[in-house]
């Protein structure tokens, strides 16, 4: 009987720790997204108060879509960010998402910078740019 109680307590500690870890990390992955089709999404209001994504443009280079966006810091302090481009074909399906990694970016206070990327395959007709803040652990 004592062994079962100890096992139950251990299981409870593991479950609670796991839930705390998941909830502690979940607010760190949200950010802001802008799409070349004109759709914007805010997954984290704090990030949306610090960064804007504007001037999304695209062009074809050798049959591949190249996308660009302007990221602007609205904060007077440095922001450690990551951004990622996601590419879509004419049917709205993601094109090779694994080939578009999260890229690090530091935006200094009130800085504006242009980010760009090339679609991993021909046939892309639209893209999204997602920006999230990086927190030191």
């Amino acid at each position: 009987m004592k062994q079962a109680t100890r096992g139950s307590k251990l299981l409870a500690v593991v479950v609670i720790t796991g839930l705390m870890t998941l909830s502690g990390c979940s607010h760190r992955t949200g950010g802001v997204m802008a799409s070349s089709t004109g759709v914007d999404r805010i997954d984290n209001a704090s990030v949306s108060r610090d960064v804007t994504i504007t001037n999304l443009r695209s062009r074809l280079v050798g049959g591949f879509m190249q996308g660009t966006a302007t990221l602007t810091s609205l904060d007077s302090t440095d922001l450690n960010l990551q951004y990622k481009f996601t590419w879509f074909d004419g049917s709205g399906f993601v094109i090779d998402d694994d080939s578009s990694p999260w890229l690090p970016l530091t935006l200094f206070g009130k800085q504006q910078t242009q980010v760009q990327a090339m679609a991993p395959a021909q046939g892309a007709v639209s893209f999204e740019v997602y920006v999230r803040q990086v927190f030191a652990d």
Side-chain angles (χ1 to χ4, degrees):
M1 182 81 160
K2 202 173 211 178
Q3 185 70 5
T5 304
R6 180 180 287 166
S8 298
K9 287 181 182 178
L10 179 60
L11 178 60
V13 169
V14 169
V15 169
I16 290 170
T17 302
L19 290 173
M20 288 173 60
T21 301
L22 288 175
S23 66
C25 293
S26 64
H27 74 282
R28 295 174 183 239
T29 59
V32 293
M33 182 275 296
S35 163
S36 62
T37 61
V39 175
D40 296 334
R41 187 176 76 228
I42 298 171
D43 296 329
N44 184 319
S46 176
V47 175
S48 73
R49 287 188 296 270
D50 292 338
V51 180
T52 61
I53 307 171
T54 57
N55 301 325
L56 278 75
R57 294 179 294 155
S58 64
R59 66 181 178 183
L60 288 179
V61 177
F64 290 84
M65 179 179 270
Q66 180 182 32
T68 184
T70 302
L71 306 183
T72 303
S73 169
L74 303 175
D75 201 328
S76 60
T77 62
D78 298 349
L79 298 172
N80 292 315
L81 307 169
Q82 291 178 328
Y83 69 94
K84 175 182 172 67
F85 280 76
T86 302
W87 304 92
F88 298 91
D89 67 16
S91 298
F93 286 91
V94 173
I95 299 174
D96 196 13
D97 195 39
D98 293 335
S99 69
S100 299
W102 287 98
L103 299 170
L105 173 69
T106 298
L107 273 181
F108 300 105
K110 305 292 185 179
Q111 180 186 10
Q112 186 176 70
T113 192
Q114 188 178 76
V115 294
Q116 62 182 351
M118 189 76 70
Q122 292 183 349
V125 297
S126 64
F127 66 93
E128 295 176 350
V129 179
Y130 198 90
V131 178
R132 65 184 183 187
Q133 197 162 4
V134 177
F135 297 91
D137 288 331

